[in-house]
Amino acid sequence: MDPEYFQSYEMCWGTLGTVRPFSNFHPDRDAMQIQAALEKKDAGTLVRILTNRSNAQRQMIAKNFEDITQKDLAAGVKKALSGDLETLLLELLMLPLAYEAHRLQQAMVGLGTDEETLLEILCTRSGQQLQEICAAYEYLYKKDLEKELKGETSGDFAKLIVALLNKANVTGGVQRDIQSLSASLSGKKADAGPWIDILTSRDSDHLNKVLMGLELETGHMVDHTLEKRFTGDIRLGLRVLVQCIQSPEVYLAKRLTTKKASTVQGIMVSHCEEDLLCIRTAYLKLTGTSLYTALQVGHIHTHIYTYCMPTHTFTQLLKCIFTT
């Protein structure tokens, strides 16, 4: 992949990440150390360097590595390592936009669709970010992301997914939106249309006022209302969207409690330079246990970290991810 294609895009979207640019950074030195580590299959050195550099710095290391060796760094990692550790390091080498596109592609590949990963990305990213991810997806896979999503979904859920991908910011009246949502619940079967239209076309401040107003009007929490009045994938989609509107970091913290290896790894790689500090705080409030401790002692000690990495390697990874 040509990094110049993405030069107009920011390397990360936030400032509350736990991985920061390495201060004493020398890409040529890192590249030479990585070259030696690949020859020795020294996973510890690879993890120490790659997880203690920002994504932008990793791209510079990869460029220097190619200049020195005339070889692709990702190809070198594939040759030297295997299994989930290989996957993790390859993901760290991806540009942020490419990684989000990769996660979406993986959620749709093979039998079945991982609706929750699709929703996680589509509900927590802004409209601008999603358009950039669309461009990255088309560049990498030569396919239109919207068409791919339509092919993997159906009914109201498909309408929600497409609306999320094309998020707008349309001015609306709070009371009018409350009445529209309330009216959609009045029939024997709830109408998902107004929920899709409103929740994907207003800013979060406006929507939080709408949701609070709806709760006052109905006497029920919105999540409870959605649980009772909708079914299937559209119920899941609307519940996730509402949770992300109300508090995306709490939603992501809840996702981490599932202990699913791919989910934990996906969130941590995606958000380590962006807002993992917020997610970490939400996780502590939600579970009473710090995310660092949960990973270290095994509450979320997935097989990725236990059987793929030596103990010292795992510790280095944790140290990097939770640097403040």
Side-chain angles (χ1 to χ4, degrees):
M1 180 176 56
D2 183 3
E4 292 183 2
Y5 177 79
F6 299 107
Q7 280 183 348
S8 63
Y9 299 132
E10 295 180 1
M11 297 302 291
C12 60
W13 293 309
T15 57
L16 293 172
T18 54
V19 174
R20 311 288 174 82
F22 191 68
S23 57
N24 188 27
F25 179 55
H26 299 283
D28 52 345
R29 183 172 64 192
D30 285 345
M32 287 187 288
Q33 290 181 1
I34 285 175
Q35 181 186 15
L38 289 174
E39 291 173 356
K40 299 175 183 177
K41 298 186 178 181
D42 179 2
T45 295
L46 295 173
V47 169
R48 175 180 57 80
I49 295 174
L50 294 177
T51 61
N52 279 284
R53 307 296 185 268
S54 69
N55 189 278
Q57 290 175 331
R58 290 184 212 119
Q59 305 310 315
M60 294 176 66
I61 292 170
K63 179 65 168 60
N64 275 263
F65 182 89
E66 186 172 358
D67 290 343
I68 293 169
T69 67
Q70 304 303 307
K71 296 179 181 178
D72 179 66
L73 178 53
V77 170
K78 289 179 181 179
K79 184 177 180 180
L81 302 176
S82 61
D84 292 311
L85 179 54
E86 173 200 345
T87 300
L88 174 62
L89 293 184
L90 290 174
E91 290 176 350
L92 289 173
L93 288 172
M94 293 180 186
L95 288 161
L97 294 175
Y99 184 57
E100 296 300 272
H102 168 74
R103 291 188 71 203
L104 288 169
Q105 191 267 348
Q106 288 296 299
M108 295 185 284
V109 74
L111 295 175
T113 303
D114 183 355
E115 290 87 356
E116 293 204 28
T117 295
L118 295 181
L119 288 167
E120 175 203 314
I121 296 170
L122 295 176
C123 291
T124 58
R125 298 304 186 190
S126 69
Q128 179 183 345
Q129 290 167 351
L130 289 171
Q131 291 309 303
E132 293 171 353
I133 292 168
C134 281
Y137 190 96
E138 184 170 2
Y139 179 80
L140 292 169
Y141 302 110
K142 312 305 179 189
K143 295 180 180 179
D144 182 77
L145 179 55
E146 182 172 330
K147 290 181 180 178
E148 293 289 289
L149 289 168
K150 286 179 178 178
E152 293 290 326
T153 56
S154 61
D156 285 334
F157 185 66
K159 294 176 183 177
L160 173 62
I161 291 294
V162 171
L164 284 167
L165 188 65
N166 298 287
K167 287 177 186 173
N169 192 356
V170 180
T171 302
V174 171
Q175 194 58 40
R176 184 174 61 207
D177 285 347
I178 292 171
Q179 293 305 314
S180 294
L181 295 181
S182 180
S184 75
L185 302 170
S186 60
K188 186 176 181 180
K189 181 181 179 181
D191 180 6
W195 290 82
I196 296 170
D197 293 341
I198 292 170
L199 298 187
T200 62
S201 64
R202 308 284 193 271
D203 64 66
S204 59
D205 288 340
H206 175 96
L207 290 174
N208 274 303
K209 293 175 183 177
V210 170
L211 295 174
M212 286 189 288
L214 184 65
E215 288 177 347
L216 289 172
E217 182 163 313
T218 62
H220 297 288
M221 300 295 288
V222 175
D223 189 69
H224 174 81
T225 299
L226 295 173
E227 176 70 25
K228 293 295 183 181
R229 297 308 313 276
F230 292 95
T231 60
D233 287 341
I234 188 61
R235 176 171 64 187
L236 170 67
L238 291 175
R239 290 184 69 192
V240 168
L241 179 53
V242 166
Q243 290 177 55
C244 290
I245 290 167
Q246 294 174 330
S247 180
E249 61 272 15
V250 171
Y251 165 71
L252 291 169
K254 289 179 180 177
R255 286 271 285 161
L256 290 174
T257 66
T258 64
K259 305 179 184 179
K260 185 178 178 182
S262 60
T263 299
V264 173
Q265 184 167 314
I267 291 173
M268 294 181 72
V269 172
S270 287
H271 293 268
C272 64
E273 291 189 50
E274 183 179 344
D275 56 0
L276 191 55
L277 284 173
C278 297
I279 299 167
R280 190 176 72 175
T281 300
Y283 187 91
L284 177 61
K285 291 180 179 179
L286 186 67
T287 66
T289 303
S290 74
L291 185 52
Y292 184 100
T293 300
L295 285 163
Q296 197 170 37
V297 303
H299 296 160
I300 311 181
H301 204 178
T302 66
H303 69 282
I304 287 178
Y305 304 112
T306 54
Y307 77 71
C308 291
M309 296 185 185
T311 302
H312 71 280
T313 304
F314 174 59
T315 303
Q316 290 167 358
L317 176 61
L318 288 176
K319 181 180 179 182
C320 164
I321 292 174
F322 292 98
T323 298
T324 59

